[in-house]
Amino acid sequence: MKILKYFAFCFATLTANQLLAQTDPHFTQHYTYPMYMNPAMTGGSDGEYRASAIYRGQWGSISNPYRTTGFSFDTRTNKNLALGVNVQNQSAGDGGFNYFNAAASIAYTGVKFGKDDNQRMVFAMQFGVLNRSVDQSKFKWGEQWNPITGYNANNPISENFAATSATTLDIGAGALYYDTYADKKANAFAGFSVYHLNKPKDPIISSGSTDLNTIPMRYVLHGGISYNISNRARIIPHALYMRQGTASEKMIGTYLQYTVNEETDIMVGAYYRFNDAIAPYIGFDWKNFVVGVSYDANASKLGAMARNVNSFEISFSYIKRGKTKSILDFIPCPRL
């Protein structure tokens, strides 16, 4: 059974680009890793700067499951510019598959309109590198199996990769709208982003120049409303649509944020990823620290194959704020 799972993983990895399916990792707590969702989210915190980290463990019932870690840092300047960097790494499988991405984002935040300039637009670009690699020495091929003697790693094979590691330039762009009017009951935000604009090549799959070895562009559309229930509580329903190649992801969610005192907020909510999973979420915001935990309970047929061992995420952010904060501090920034 372990060998079957291994070959299933190899097949999925090797055919991902040929089918033009989704190759990028994804997160349930997508707003806590903002520049991976939209570079226009750069500088979108209620502080001078923000440092964030997120970890996702997926399909823990298989050997060497998916493990994805992301780190980001962003800050605003006094020149209507925001700057940020994000680094991400995903590893999975007995074949040593690894996905690494590092990028820098720059956002222009000076577009203001409406009454008292309370309507805002942000436009951003992102430039970075993307690396995908496998460890060919860890693969087991059919030619290495003998029906009588079994597996022999020294048996010669005819299989070969065009390359076992590839690093390429990666470019993305995004736009974001949000409403900062403090006296409104509801404040809306929405954004759109595109990644892999330069259509980077992945020679691990093929050494040719066709679309078969091109990483497909990833499109993200997201938005929501921050609705103030009282001076202590607000509810934030939001939605996300992401498409890459032939694969798409649709997710909705909502959570309640309640201000306990000047230093502490608690957050409780849930996400639903269509045809995939339900993910309860809980978090707290204490002084300059924000921590969130979610668990994807699989709601599709994949749950039985994964023996109901689902996905877990934990996120951590440090936001450099002043000594005190109020719930109104969260309205000008399009964050969860």
Side-chain angles (χ1 to χ4, degrees):
M1 181 61 69
K2 179 178 179 181
I3 293 172
L4 291 176
K5 290 178 180 177
Y6 168 77
F7 278 111
F9 169 77
C10 292
F11 178 80
T13 300
L14 292 175
T15 58
N17 277 11
Q18 292 179 321
L19 296 176
L20 294 182
Q22 182 168 335
T23 59
D24 291 353
H26 71 147
F27 296 95
T28 296
Q29 298 180 50
H30 42 271
Y31 277 94
T32 62
Y33 191 46
M35 288 171 285
Y36 185 70
M37 183 180 68
N38 189 339
M41 298 284 286
T42 305
S45 71
D46 56 318
E48 298 175 21
Y49 61 82
R50 167 180 53 185
S52 300
I54 188 169
Y55 171 81
R56 177 178 176 87
Q58 188 172 351
W59 299 349
S61 61
I62 66 172
S63 60
N64 294 317
Y66 279 87
R67 296 183 178 93
T68 310
T69 305
F71 300 94
S72 67
F73 177 87
D74 60 325
T75 184
R76 296 192 299 267
T77 73
N78 56 6
K79 302 294 184 181
N80 289 326
L81 291 176
L83 305 173
V85 294
N86 61 283
V87 177
Q88 177 187 245
N89 192 77
Q90 181 184 78
S91 60
D94 293 335
F97 172 76
N98 199 81
Y99 176 112
F100 175 81
N101 176 257
S105 301
I106 180 169
Y108 179 70
T109 61
V111 180
K112 305 174 183 179
F113 57 95
K115 184 179 179 181
D116 299 325
D117 289 337
N118 286 314
Q119 310 297 311
R120 307 287 177 86
M121 289 289 297
V122 181
F123 298 94
M125 291 291 296
Q126 187 175 90
F127 303 90
V129 294
L130 188 153
N131 175 273
R132 283 156 55 89
S133 63
V134 293
D135 186 347
Q136 188 172 350
S137 67
K138 295 182 178 180
F139 277 69
K140 299 177 181 179
W141 304 97
E143 294 166 298
Q144 295 174 307
W145 290 87
N146 185 295
I148 299 175
T149 60
Y151 173 74
N152 185 346
N154 295 319
N155 287 347
I157 59 172
S158 58
E159 303 288 348
N160 197 13
F161 289 96
T164 56
S165 180
T167 302
T168 182
L169 175 69
D170 194 27
I171 300 175
L176 179 73
Y177 160 82
Y178 60 102
D179 178 10
T180 68
Y181 194 78
D183 294 331
K184 291 177 68 174
K185 197 75 172 176
N187 299 81
F189 57 93
F192 175 74
S193 61
V194 184
Y195 293 85
H196 314 312
L197 276 170
N198 57 321
K199 297 183 178 180
K201 301 297 181 180
D202 187 356
I204 290 179
I205 303 301
S206 171
S207 59
S209 60
T210 67
D211 287 341
L212 292 179
N213 69 332
T214 298
I215 298 177
M217 289 191 289
R218 174 166 58 95
Y219 303 91
V220 183
L221 181 65
H222 62 96
I225 297 174
S226 175
Y227 185 83
N228 294 309
I229 301 173
S230 67
N231 63 346
R232 283 183 172 267
R234 65 181 183 133
I235 189 169
I236 302 94
H238 52 280
L240 176 140
Y241 175 79
M242 182 164 63
R243 185 173 186 86
Q244 186 174 22
T246 58
S248 64
E249 177 180 330
K250 298 181 285 290
M251 186 160 66
I252 58 174
T254 188
Y255 80 93
L256 174 72
Q257 181 160 343
Y258 181 78
T259 300
V260 179
N261 53 48
E262 289 185 344
E263 294 184 337
T264 307
D265 290 359
I266 57 173
M267 297 163 283
V268 179
Y271 302 89
Y272 174 65
R273 186 181 297 110
F274 286 78
N275 301 317
D276 185 20
I278 300 171
Y281 166 82
I282 186 169
F284 67 86
D285 186 335
W286 177 72
K287 293 185 177 180
N288 293 339
F289 299 92
V290 183
V291 177
V293 178
S294 63
Y295 182 79
D296 290 19
N298 201 287
S300 69
K301 294 180 180 179
L302 185 61
M305 296 177 61
R307 292 184 293 185
N308 294 316
V309 179
N310 302 300
S311 303
F312 167 81
E313 281 185 19
I314 183 168
S315 62
F316 174 87
S317 296
Y318 175 82
I319 302 173
K320 179 61 173 66
R321 304 186 181 111
K323 293 183 178 181
T324 61
K325 64 185 180 69
S326 72
I327 198 168
L328 296 180
D329 291 329
F330 292 95
I331 293 176
C333 64
R335 63 174 286 277
L336 284 185

